[in-house]
Amino acid sequence: MSENPVLHSHLVRLSYGDTDPAGILYYAAWFPKMEALQSEFLFFQGLRQDRLKEDFGWWTVSRATSCEYLAAAGLFDQIRIELRRGSVGTSSFAFDFTMRRVSDDVLVARAVSTLVTVSPEQSTVRIPELLHDHLANWGSSEWAAAHAITGADALA
Amino acid sequence: MSENPVLHSHLVRLSYGDTDPAGILYYAAWFPKMEALQSEFLFFQGLRQDRLKEDFGWWTVSRATSCEYLAAAGLFDQIRIELRRGSVGTSSFAFDFTMRRVSDDVLVARAVSTLVTVSPEQSTVRIPELLHDHLANWGSSEWAAAHAITGADALA
Amino acid sequence: MSENPVLHSHLVRLSYGDTDPAGILYYAAWFPKMEALQSEFLFFQGLRQDRLKEDFGWWTVSRATSCEYLAAAGLFDQIRIELRRGSVGTSSFAFDFTMRRVSDDVLVARAVSTLVTVSPEQSTVRIPELLHDHLANWGSSEWAAAHAITGADALA
Amino acid sequence: MSENPVLHSHLVRLSYGDTDPAGILYYAAWFPKMEALQSEFLFFQGLRQDRLKEDFGWWTVSRATSCEYLAAAGLFDQIRIELRRGSVGTSSFAFDFTMRRVSDDVLVARAVSTLVTVSPEQSTVRIPELLHDHLANWGSSEWAAAHAITGADALA
């Protein structure tokens, strides 16, 4: 996982629907929460997923997702999900996620979402310059210090 | 609930992700299953939701949903979800759903999904003739006897 | 819908996963959000769903849910979901929900969740005194003024 | 991915709720479908997740999940999800999944779900003998030929 600065975060409370008959987090529950954090971050950066194609002539699709479950998380636990820039390739880049329980600061899960840049017809393309500049900025601690938006701020 | 004939049905087995810490069905779990049944039925009828606007000049949006939970359904129960035509108005119509446990034929839930016909810009419009004809047919037992498609058939 | 005071609320931003190929809210997306609000409210009131049975000798199960979709809600809309006490019967009670878009204060949806009080074996029982007292308090504007917890506060 | 024999499979049709505003599969949609296949397989093998602890004195928790998206899958595509035994370690084992579109036999996604065997208190334990024997059998083509259960059979 990257040591890059935090770009965006949400606080979530695990609810009945997130937990399974064993009373612990349903393994698939993180993915929509990761997506909500990533989508909101990109939206704040002027990169609405639903308009990339028409606005810029390229868009992104998911290439891979992975998640490790490190500690049991249970009903009503409050979790901070943090988003960082992950590795950057020629035509793909990643966001890294950490899920940390607020009450004891335990890392309960970490995950990676890898995206690939594509043409409107979904052929892989090199990362466009606009996005490349964003990725360079997102990796800098200066950017993060100046721009990071917390979940609470986002909702204020 | 209508006594109309069954138009389409799916067999589903309640899974870990459908059940909650009490080991019974999570109340929101029926809605995606209802949607999958309704969408597949309309698809088989030549009414793809994603193309109604361009193909016919109108489309449908959800107006209301309701569900009653009549008996506890639990992990690994096998349930038959059946779709019937519900009430039909001037610019809206409904599908009725029943969820029945296979092992003991108990009705565990019933639900209604009400749709309204709209213009491309989402103004309410009278039910178009094409759809009106479909609705008349779907309410007839002759149609159902001739066309009803089971989940198993659909997948064959 | 009740004119009762707001008991609890969450601010949510509609995300990619909440919206459908038409770019509008997927009709089933409200239900997990309603559940998260209701569960957190009851948790704050000392009524953890997963412990009601052992702590008090009774628990609650869902009896019915209904939702009306009043205006189109789209990707990235910010919505305030509010919870109010709904109607109270002998062995059942309801929570009323309103979903209002922050940007223009439009009511995009409203919903009702009806619960029934049951014995550990899931036989219907009269609303127990402890819960009855809660319900009386939750209906009073004095209580709400003193205790209402916003989503932001809840996460602070 | 393993070349092991198929142990279980489901046929699913991608529905409105599985697809996003781009009209392609929402990346998180595979996980509940993988879980439903895996849970049903284990159920058929006498290994109900909700009873492992009381029946056998051990249970399993998710350790990791990963998914690769290889081709665009869209609304109403019919997909066959297949489950195979993956790698087996000292206290963990994996199931491998492939998602293949029926119409053109294209592999649209593949995924791995890694489970770890734990004590009732969730300490990692060596794979118990009962499970070890299952895993050895599941890896053999003889077993698969004799026992493999298709989604259609399962529902018959």
Side-chain angles (χ1 to χ4, degrees):
Chain A
M1 303 293 290
S2 64
E3 294 301 310
N4 286 330
V6 175
L7 299 178
H8 194 30
S9 72
H10 280 166
L11 268 167
V12 298
R13 189 182 297 283
L14 300 184
S15 190
Y16 225 56
D18 295 319
T19 51
D20 66 21
I24 59 173
L25 185 85
Y26 176 57
Y27 93 112
W30 288 129
F31 301 107
K33 298 182 201 306
M34 290 162 49
E35 184 272 315
L37 180 61
Q38 174 181 310
S39 293
E40 189 179 64
F41 171 70
L42 292 170
F43 169 67
F44 287 153
Q45 298 301 308
L47 300 169
R48 279 182 72 125
Q49 278 149 289
D50 57 332
R51 296 192 189 155
L52 288 178
K53 222 183 294 191
E54 51 180 312
D55 285 355
F56 304 116
W58 52 268
W59 56 306
T60 60
V61 293
S62 288
R63 175 64 185 79
T65 311
S66 62
C67 185
E68 291 174 274
Y69 308 90
L70 304 172
L75 183 54
F76 300 121
D77 281 357
Q78 232 190 325
I79 308 286
R80 183 180 296 275
I81 312 186
E82 293 182 331
L83 172 75
R84 290 174 171 82
R85 201 203 68 182
S87 60
V88 177
T90 305
S91 58
S92 69
F93 64 101
F95 287 117
D96 292 344
F97 297 84
T98 51
M99 293 74 163
R100 204 173 278 278
R101 183 162 41 214
V102 172
S103 63
D104 58 8
D105 205 39
V106 165
L107 185 68
V108 297
R110 63 185 167 207
V112 180
S113 162
T114 304
L115 304 173
V116 58
T117 43
V118 293
S119 70
E121 299 76 24
Q122 294 199 43
S123 304
T124 302
V125 297
R126 291 178 70 92
I127 294 177
E129 192 172 349
L130 171 76
L131 179 58
H132 201 272
D133 290 349
H134 272 300
L135 288 165
N137 278 325
W138 295 339
S140 73
S141 48
E142 290 75 15
W143 185 91
H147 296 82
I149 299 156
T150 68
D153 292 340
L155 296 176
Chain B
M1 303 294 292
S2 64
E3 294 299 311
N4 286 330
V6 175
L7 300 178
H8 195 29
S9 72
H10 280 165
L11 269 169
V12 298
R13 187 182 298 283
L14 299 184
S15 190
Y16 225 57
D18 295 319
T19 50
D20 66 19
I24 59 173
L25 185 85
Y26 176 58
Y27 92 114
W30 288 129
F31 301 107
K33 298 183 201 306
M34 290 161 52
E35 183 273 315
L37 180 61
Q38 175 180 310
S39 293
E40 190 178 64
F41 171 69
L42 291 170
F43 169 67
F44 286 152
Q45 297 301 308
L47 299 169
R48 278 183 72 124
Q49 278 149 290
D50 56 331
R51 295 191 188 156
L52 288 178
K53 221 183 293 190
E54 52 181 310
D55 285 356
F56 304 116
W58 53 267
W59 56 305
T60 61
V61 295
S62 287
R63 176 64 185 79
T65 310
S66 63
C67 185
E68 291 174 274
Y69 308 90
L70 304 171
L75 184 53
F76 300 122
D77 281 358
Q78 231 190 326
I79 308 286
R80 184 179 296 275
I81 312 185
E82 293 182 332
L83 172 76
R84 289 173 172 83
R85 202 202 67 181
S87 61
V88 177
T90 305
S91 59
S92 70
F93 64 101
F95 287 117
D96 292 344
F97 297 84
T98 52
M99 294 73 162
R100 203 173 279 278
R101 183 163 40 215
V102 172
S103 63
D104 58 7
D105 206 39
V106 164
L107 185 67
V108 297
R110 62 185 167 207
V112 180
S113 162
T114 304
L115 303 173
V116 59
T117 44
V118 293
S119 70
E121 299 75 26
Q122 294 198 43
S123 303
T124 301
V125 297
R126 290 177 70 91
I127 294 178
E129 191 173 350
L130 171 75
L131 180 58
H132 200 272
D133 290 348
H134 273 299
L135 287 164
N137 279 323
W138 296 339
S140 73
S141 48
E142 292 75 14
W143 185 91
H147 296 83
I149 298 157
T150 68
D153 292 340
L155 296 177
Chain C
M1 302 294 291
S2 65
E3 295 300 311
N4 285 331
V6 176
L7 299 179
H8 195 31
S9 72
H10 279 167
L11 268 169
V12 298
R13 187 182 297 283
L14 299 184
S15 190
Y16 225 57
D18 294 320
T19 50
D20 66 20
I24 59 173
L25 186 85
Y26 176 58
Y27 91 114
W30 288 129
F31 300 106
K33 298 183 202 306
M34 289 161 51
E35 183 272 316
L37 180 61
Q38 175 181 309
S39 293
E40 190 179 65
F41 171 69
L42 292 170
F43 170 66
F44 286 153
Q45 297 300 309
L47 300 169
R48 277 184 73 126
Q49 279 148 290
D50 57 331
R51 295 193 188 153
L52 288 177
K53 221 183 292 190
E54 52 181 311
D55 285 356
F56 304 116
W58 52 268
W59 55 305
T60 61
V61 293
S62 287
R63 176 66 184 78
T65 310
S66 62
C67 185
E68 290 174 274
Y69 309 90
L70 303 172
L75 184 54
F76 300 122
D77 280 358
Q78 232 189 326
I79 308 285
R80 184 180 295 277
I81 312 185
E82 293 182 331
L83 171 75
R84 291 173 172 81
R85 201 201 68 181
S87 61
V88 177
T90 306
S91 58
S92 70
F93 63 101
F95 287 117
D96 292 344
F97 297 85
T98 52
M99 293 73 163
R100 203 173 278 278
R101 183 162 41 214
V102 172
S103 64
D104 58 8
D105 206 39
V106 164
L107 185 67
V108 297
R110 62 185 168 208
V112 180
S113 163
T114 305
L115 304 173
V116 58
T117 43
V118 293
S119 70
E121 299 75 25
Q122 294 198 43
S123 304
T124 300
V125 296
R126 290 177 71 92
I127 293 178
E129 191 173 351
L130 171 75
L131 180 59
H132 201 271
D133 290 349
H134 273 299
L135 287 164
N137 279 323
W138 295 339
S140 73
S141 48
E142 291 76 14
W143 184 92
H147 296 82
I149 298 157
T150 68
D153 292 340
L155 295 176
Chain D
M1 302 295 290
S2 65
E3 295 300 311
N4 286 330
V6 175
L7 300 179
H8 194 31
S9 72
H10 280 165
L11 269 168
V12 297
R13 188 181 299 281
L14 299 184
S15 191
Y16 225 56
D18 294 320
T19 50
D20 66 20
I24 59 172
L25 185 85
Y26 175 57
Y27 93 113
W30 288 130
F31 300 106
K33 298 183 201 306
M34 290 162 51
E35 184 272 316
L37 180 61
Q38 174 181 309
S39 293
E40 189 178 64
F41 171 70
L42 291 170
F43 170 66
F44 285 153
Q45 299 299 309
L47 300 169
R48 277 183 73 124
Q49 278 149 289
D50 57 332
R51 295 193 189 154
L52 289 178
K53 222 183 293 191
E54 52 180 311
D55 284 356
F56 304 116
W58 52 267
W59 57 306
T60 61
V61 293
S62 287
R63 175 64 184 78
T65 310
S66 62
C67 185
E68 291 174 274
Y69 308 90
L70 304 172
L75 183 55
F76 299 123
D77 281 357
Q78 231 189 327
I79 308 286
R80 182 179 297 276
I81 313 186
E82 294 182 331
L83 171 76
R84 290 173 171 82
R85 201 202 69 182
S87 61
V88 178
T90 305
S91 58
S92 69
F93 63 101
F95 287 117
D96 292 344
F97 298 84
T98 52
M99 293 74 161
R100 204 172 278 279
R101 183 162 41 214
V102 172
S103 64
D104 58 8
D105 205 38
V106 164
L107 185 68
V108 297
R110 62 184 167 208
V112 180
S113 163
T114 304
L115 304 172
V116 58
T117 44
V118 293
S119 69
E121 299 76 24
Q122 294 199 42
S123 304
T124 302
V125 296
R126 291 177 69 92
I127 293 176
E129 192 172 349
L130 171 75
L131 179 58
H132 201 271
D133 290 349
H134 273 299
L135 287 164
N137 278 325
W138 296 338
S140 73
S141 47
E142 291 76 14
W143 184 91
H147 296 83
I149 299 156
T150 68
D153 292 340
L155 295 176

